[in-house]
Amino acid sequence: GSPEALNLAKGWLRACNDNHTICQRRPPQDYFPTRVLDVGFAKDSNAIRLFIPQARSSSPFEPYITLSHQWGASEKTSPILKRNNLTHLCQSIDISTLPRVFRDAIALTKLFGIRYLWIDRLCIIQDSDEDWSHEAQLMQKVYASSYCSIAASDADDPSKGCFFDRCPEVVTPWKRMIKDGEDSDEDRKGDEYSSTSLYGRGWVLQESILAPRILHCSNRQLYWECPSNVCCETFPTGLLEQFWVMDDLFQMRRLLAAPAAGYARLHHGPKSPQTGGSSDHSEEETADAPMPLSHQTWLCTVEIYTRCQLTYPKDKLIAISGIAGVFHPSLGTYCLGLWKDHLSMGLLWSLAEPPSLMTTLRLATGPKRHNRPYRAPSWSWASVDG
């Protein structure tokens, strides 16, 4: 990344820490992952190591950064945590052997002055079903407790990372045109980082919703998103709220990350249900206003989630379990994608697009259901794709 872009990203983080009242209301970090990458343990900048902290149940915990990425950006020959190399990776990992996207994430972590980085490929034992199952249950805590998340939005193969060579004309100041005395924002840059391939992945939806703040690294420009502000290189001090790209995913993240209520739900459960006030409330008042989550919001979340792709269909329920944990205090008993108190409504799901004739015939003549890997009962939306 260029020095200008990197300094801008560092400035966004500093402004969030120093000036955002809402973001400062986040409760103290109360969790640290089972394993992290120590990017600052040695003077040799070409080496990192896997770090396994001693068990502890009380603060203070060291801050850490998480990476959201696509596994297609990792070369098959690059290191991956397995049972037989855990000890070796705890000693040292040569950065030059890592995929470009990992190297860029390490550089950003150091830039932010943070020592620890969490990457699933190197922090979960990939050939241990037991470890994977244990760590998958902790994804809510891993991302919700992180200092910041780095999203490699357009790194979909090993040659790509967090930074891209760009034409300077791509990142231009926003221009507003006046036609016949009327405003027009037709020439506004409409970059949509949430439309990149990364956000079509099921696991990433959960990661992006749970993270307290995100640095989106797209092939057009860097974006910063936290509960108080949305910035990009075109609008470095903050995008005007009326110009935010209000797609479904963005709105869902804003709702579920509403700091005072959102963090309270994640860490301490909801406050007493009340309706929100007018949009004229100050930041402090908004931070104190509880935002109970409705069943309708859950249904909207599921609709977004079911449009995403999963490498392994068996992950259908586990990859949304962290989000379900956010809804649990508001909705009660959770059962395989549905909620006990809203069961009748939850059962009224249907496929967004009816299966084609060929798909119907394939399901009817192909392997019987009891021979296919089980992932959910037939009455749950999680039992089908789409």
Side-chain angles (χ1 to χ4, degrees):
S2 68
E4 294 81 6
L6 294 177
N7 286 333
L8 190 58
K10 191 173 182 179
W12 288 333
L13 178 62
R14 185 187 309 114
C16 183
N17 285 332
D18 296 343
N19 304 326
H20 294 173
T21 304
I22 288 180
C23 298
Q24 291 171 358
R25 288 176 176 265
R26 179 187 180 194
Q29 179 184 337
D30 61 0
Y31 174 79
F32 195 83
T34 307
R35 309 174 193 93
V36 292
L37 297 173
D38 185 348
V39 304
F41 84 102
K43 294 182 179 179
D44 180 4
S45 60
N46 294 320
I48 62 171
R49 68 170 178 172
L50 182 67
F51 174 65
I52 304 176
Q54 295 182 346
R56 57 181 177 180
S57 57
S58 60
S59 297
F61 294 94
E62 292 287 335
Y64 63 92
I65 285 177
T66 54
L67 174 67
S68 288
H69 69 104
Q70 300 179 67
W71 273 55
S74 301
E75 297 181 20
K76 294 181 179 179
T77 57
S78 63
I80 184 172
L81 179 59
K82 294 184 177 181
R83 285 174 289 190
N84 64 0
N85 68 354
L86 188 150
T87 301
H88 173 71
L89 296 185
C90 285
Q91 295 172 350
S92 181
I93 303 173
D94 185 347
I95 292 180
S96 65
T97 65
L98 298 176
R100 179 181 168 188
V101 66
F102 290 6
R103 299 198 303 268
D104 288 348
I106 291 169
L108 281 169
T109 301
K110 291 182 177 181
L111 176 75
F112 290 158
I114 303 300
R115 180 167 177 170
Y116 299 111
L117 172 65
W118 188 92
I119 302 176
D120 53 1
R121 184 183 175 96
L122 292 170
C123 296
I124 298 176
I125 303 175
Q126 300 299 324
D127 60 351
S128 169
D129 291 340
E130 180 181 359
D131 190 68
W132 186 91
S133 178
H134 176 265
E135 293 299 313
Q137 298 292 336
L138 297 173
M139 286 301 97
Q140 176 186 352
K141 290 185 176 181
V142 169
Y143 281 89
S145 300
S146 67
Y147 185 74
C148 178
S149 183
I150 298 169
S153 303
D154 284 300
D156 53 7
D157 67 58
S159 68
K160 299 177 182 177
C162 295
F163 308 115
F164 296 81
D165 293 328
R166 306 170 302 180
C167 172
E169 295 179 358
V170 171
V171 184
T172 58
W174 171 75
K175 298 178 181 180
R176 191 181 187 100
M177 296 185 65
I178 305 295
K179 297 180 179 179
D180 299 325
E182 294 184 0
D183 271 344
S184 171
D185 61 354
E186 293 177 0
D187 291 345
R188 173 177 59 91
K189 290 287 184 183
D191 300 316
E192 300 184 29
Y193 52 78
S194 57
S195 65
T196 61
S197 56
L198 177 68
Y199 296 101
R201 309 304 303 172
W203 280 99
V204 174
L205 173 69
Q206 175 169 266
E207 295 165 8
S208 66
I209 284 178
L210 295 176
R213 46 194 179 186
I214 308 174
L215 178 67
H216 303 271
C217 303
S218 80
N219 59 12
R220 294 185 63 86
Q221 56 181 316
L222 297 179
Y223 296 84
W224 171 266
E225 182 184 351
C226 70
S228 299
N229 205 1
V230 177
C231 306
C232 61
E233 292 176 70
T234 310
F235 293 87
T237 60
L239 189 63
L240 297 177
E241 195 164 332
Q242 61 265 37
F243 295 150
W244 290 356
V245 180
M246 299 298 285
D247 60 8
D248 290 342
L249 176 56
F250 179 84
Q251 293 193 66
M252 195 60 60
R253 282 203 300 267
R254 297 292 293 181
L255 176 61
L256 298 186
Y263 295 144
R265 282 194 300 270
L266 284 170
H267 297 272
H268 309 294
K271 299 178 183 179
S272 58
Q274 296 177 10
T275 56
S278 70
S279 59
D280 296 331
H281 282 177
S282 69
E283 195 172 270
E284 268 191 54
E285 292 172 322
T286 303
D288 287 330
M291 292 178 59
L293 294 173
S294 68
H295 185 251
Q296 184 60 40
T297 303
W298 169 256
L299 296 179
C300 292
T301 306
V302 170
E303 184 176 351
I304 297 170
Y305 175 67
T306 52
R307 295 199 296 261
C308 297
Q309 302 297 315
L310 288 167
T311 303
Y312 302 105
K314 64 180 178 63
D315 293 347
K316 192 84 170 189
L317 284 172
I318 193 66
I320 198 176
S321 61
I323 300 177
V326 178
F327 280 83
H328 169 67
S330 297
L331 298 184
T333 303
Y334 178 68
C335 184
L336 300 169
L338 281 67
W339 298 91
K340 180 179 179 181
D341 291 344
H342 303 273
L343 195 58
S344 57
M345 179 64 72
L347 289 169
L348 296 178
W349 61 268
S350 63
L351 289 173
E353 296 183 10
S356 65
L357 177 60
M358 290 302 296
T359 300
T360 302
L361 290 174
R362 177 172 54 80
L363 292 174
T365 59
K368 298 301 181 183
R369 182 176 180 84
H370 62 265
N371 291 330
R372 298 184 211 129
Y374 175 83
R375 60 180 177 184
S378 60
W379 45 262
S380 172
W381 52 264
S383 63
V384 297
D385 295 324

